[in-house]
């Protein structure tokens, strides 16, 4: 099916200013918003279309691309992750907050979204894990199946607003829309409420959910479980559950993007002479060759031993920083050996043994020479 033109969808000219586009969007989105058209798939599709057009045309870069190439501009790779996934709740924050205000809530409304904070170990975050969680939530009442009315009875259409939920009041020249005072905006009246949920259609419960955390998540990632939030009022759709990931600090590894960092101490004899050490990776120990004359702080990169991000891409690396450790608790014999070593540094070859000290001292000398000039 060929896609309709974004300008036509919003009913604006190709020269329309952003303000005009926003206005058109508000008007159309109010009309087709799923909260106003519960269960109407056609309205929902229309709403998605409107939202997509709005998102493209209010982004200067995307609009320019669209003007030049049409829909082809966004066909590769799903359009840069924006227009595709229609998340209805997010727009209320910006454009809609002011329009719907409190009145939106008074309709038989979609259940609230819930957030669950989940702490994971680094290993769990890297490999993925399935966790059982218990969450307190509102669920559809099993006696009235969400209608709020006692079984065998049903909710009656409100006689005041005839089911619209809103009434028009005249104030001088103005006609003002207000929530219906009889049904408080719900459009229905329950004469004989369900005894279990007292007409709300929902009851408090805690439920256990099995949550599959994909491999490669990191702190700040959110996993959306559609429809696992609170049940809606009187049969309206349920909200979503967002699992917010927090990765605990690991005793050895630190993650930065897809790379892992760790510090490995080596003694200074090994640093000078070279050798082999064992370093930890998330998949077990591996051997690392330390070349002779390794300085403290040197980073060794082990390709592919890092993390593969949940968002795809290539696997990161493990970066091991070797730290030369000063020996402690030396016995007399060891101290004697070190003194002999130190004396040998003082000889004519001393500069050669410590290239960094030499260049540092040269730098210091030049610094003071320049000062006294
Ligand atoms: Zn009930
Ligand atoms: Zn009413």
């Amino acid at each position: 099916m060929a896609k309709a033109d974004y300008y036509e969808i919003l009913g604006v000219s190709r020269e329309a200013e952003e303000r005009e586009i926003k206005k058109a969007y508000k008007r159309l989105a109010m009309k087709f918003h799923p909260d106003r058209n519960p269960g109407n798939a056609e309205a929902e599709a229309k709403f998605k279309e409107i939202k997509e057009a709005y998102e493209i045309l209010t982004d200067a870069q995307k609009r320019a691309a669209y003007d030049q190439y049409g829909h082809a501009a966004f066909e590769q790779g799903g359009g840069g992750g924006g227009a595709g996934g229609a998340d209805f709740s997010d727009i209320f924050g910006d454009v809609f907050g002011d329009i719907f205000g409190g009145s939106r809530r008074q309709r038989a409304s979609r259940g609230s979204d819930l957030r669950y904070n989940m702490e994971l170990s680094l290993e769990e975050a890297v490999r993925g894990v399935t966790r059982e969680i218990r969450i307190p939530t509102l669920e559809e009442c099993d006696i009235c199946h969400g209608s709020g009315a006692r079984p065998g009875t049903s909710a009656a259409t409100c006689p005041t607003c005839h089911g619209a939920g809103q009434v028009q009041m005249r104030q001088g020249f103005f006609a003002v829309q207000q929530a219906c005072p009889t049904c408080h905006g719900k459009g229905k009246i329950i004469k004989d409420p369900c005894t279990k949920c007292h007409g709300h259609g929902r009851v408090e419960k805690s439920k256990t959910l099995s949550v599959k955390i994909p491999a490669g998540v990191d702190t700040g990632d959110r996993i959306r479980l559609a429809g696992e939030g609170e049940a809606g009022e009187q049969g309206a759709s349920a909200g979503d559950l967002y699992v917010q990931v927090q990765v605990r600090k690991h005793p050895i590894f630190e993650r930065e993007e897809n790379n892992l960092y760790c510090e490995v101490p080596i003694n200074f004899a090994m640093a000078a002479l070279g050798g082999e050490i064992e370093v930890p990776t998330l998949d077990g120990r591996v051997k690392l060759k330390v070349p002779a004359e390794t300085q403290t702080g040197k980073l060794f990169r082990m390709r592919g031993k890092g993390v593969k991000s949940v968002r795809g891409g290539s696997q990161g690396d493990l970066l091991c920083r070797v730290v030369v450790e000063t020996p402690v608790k030396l016995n007399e014999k060891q101290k004697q050996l070190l003194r002999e070593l130190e004396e040998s540094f003082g000889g004519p070859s001393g500069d050669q043994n410590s290239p960094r000290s030499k260049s540092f001292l040269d730098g210091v000398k030049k610094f003071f020479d320049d000062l006294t000039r």
Side-chain angles (χ1 to χ4, degrees):
M1 191 183 79
K3 268 183 134 177
D5 181 81
Y6 285 147
Y7 292 97
E8 273 173 32
I9 290 170
L10 294 178
V12 295
S13 74
R14 300 190 85 80
E15 288 73 43
E17 284 176 24
E18 192 176 326
R19 204 163 41 89
E20 216 177 312
I21 292 169
K22 273 193 174 147
K23 220 168 115 186
Y25 169 62
K26 278 189 188 183
R27 187 171 48 77
L28 289 166
M30 280 230 278
K31 192 168 155 197
F32 292 104
H33 194 276
D35 277 5
R36 298 206 148 185
N37 302 275
N40 182 341
E42 211 176 288
E44 190 174 307
K46 185 86 186 150
F47 179 77
K48 281 185 190 172
E49 200 178 66
I50 294 160
K51 184 168 184 259
E52 183 179 322
Y54 168 75
E55 279 175 354
I56 299 290
L57 296 186
T58 48
D59 181 320
Q61 235 174 354
K62 287 182 181 162
R63 184 176 179 181
Y66 178 70
D67 285 346
Q68 196 166 0
Y69 305 109
H71 288 295
F74 309 106
E75 265 156 23
Q76 278 168 335
D87 180 0
F88 299 130
S89 54
D90 63 1
I91 59 162
F92 286 107
D94 50 68
V95 189
F96 274 86
D98 50 333
I99 307 175
F100 283 100
S103 70
R104 193 180 70 89
R105 279 277 149 231
Q106 286 165 9
R107 293 224 87 183
S109 56
R110 181 178 174 272
S112 304
D113 291 339
L114 296 175
R115 194 173 95 158
Y116 184 91
N117 294 330
M118 184 182 282
E119 251 198 23
L120 297 174
S121 69
L122 180 66
E123 289 89 339
E124 289 171 326
V126 168
R127 295 195 186 117
V129 67
T130 300
R131 276 274 191 92
E132 300 246 296
I133 61 172
R134 268 179 87 73
I135 47 169
T137 183
L138 289 168
E139 283 202 333
E140 191 181 279
C141 171
D142 58 349
I143 302 292
C144 63
H145 301 288
S147 77
R150 187 196 290 268
T153 72
S154 59
T157 303
C158 171
T160 309
C161 63
H162 308 290
Q166 304 236 312
V167 286
Q168 287 229 354
M169 307 283 239
R170 289 220 154 265
Q171 285 181 358
F173 293 111
F174 302 103
V176 185
Q177 286 265 350
Q178 277 192 347
C180 169
T182 310
C183 64
H184 305 289
K186 293 194 168 75
K188 286 182 199 160
I189 286 185
I190 296 166
K191 288 213 179 81
D192 203 357
C194 165
T195 48
K196 187 174 180 187
C197 65
H198 309 291
H200 294 295
R202 307 185 291 181
V203 286
E204 259 184 55
K205 246 188 205 160
S206 76
K207 63 176 172 183
T208 306
L209 273 180
S210 181
V211 182
K212 200 173 168 331
I213 305 291
V217 294
D218 203 354
T219 293
D221 283 341
R222 287 200 316 181
I223 291 135
R224 176 166 171 255
L225 301 172
E228 298 290 1
E230 279 183 1
E233 259 177 69
Q234 293 168 13
S237 63
D240 300 331
L241 171 68
Y242 289 94
V243 175
Q244 182 94 34
V245 172
Q246 170 84 40
V247 181
R248 274 194 299 273
K249 203 170 151 40
H250 194 275
I252 297 172
F253 299 110
E254 219 170 286
R255 177 172 173 181
E256 214 182 288
E257 312 236 303
N258 293 341
N259 291 333
L260 291 176
Y261 288 83
C262 73
E263 266 191 5
V264 184
I266 58 174
N267 69 49
F268 86 117
M270 156 116 30
L273 303 173
E276 206 175 58
I277 54 170
E278 277 195 332
V279 295
T281 76
L282 285 177
D283 310 314
R285 296 155 189 273
V286 294
K287 290 202 157 54
L288 173 70
K289 243 188 149 64
V290 177
E293 300 179 6
T294 291
Q295 298 293 350
T296 192
K298 186 168 168 60
L299 269 180
F300 291 94
R301 182 183 293 266
M302 316 191 70
R303 291 206 185 276
K305 296 283 184 197
V307 181
K308 192 165 171 62
S309 166
V310 70
R311 280 172 273 279
S314 58
Q315 181 131 8
D317 303 327
L318 170 64
L319 290 124
C320 289
R321 183 185 298 279
V322 298
V323 181
V324 176
E325 192 173 30
T326 306
V328 297
K329 293 188 179 149
L330 297 168
N331 62 31
E332 264 319 305
K333 191 182 166 212
Q334 290 167 321
K335 285 181 188 167
Q336 189 48 43
L337 285 168
L338 278 179
R339 279 187 206 105
E340 283 169 31
L341 181 63
E342 190 186 18
E343 265 168 46
S344 77
F345 288 157
S349 68
D351 283 354
Q352 267 181 4
N353 296 139
S354 308
R356 257 168 94 171
S357 299
K358 180 173 168 8
S359 72
F360 172 73
L361 290 174
D362 288 350
V364 170
K365 184 172 180 304
K366 186 172 177 307
F367 174 72
F368 284 114
D369 286 352
D370 286 351
L371 276 187
T372 51
R373 200 167 282 162

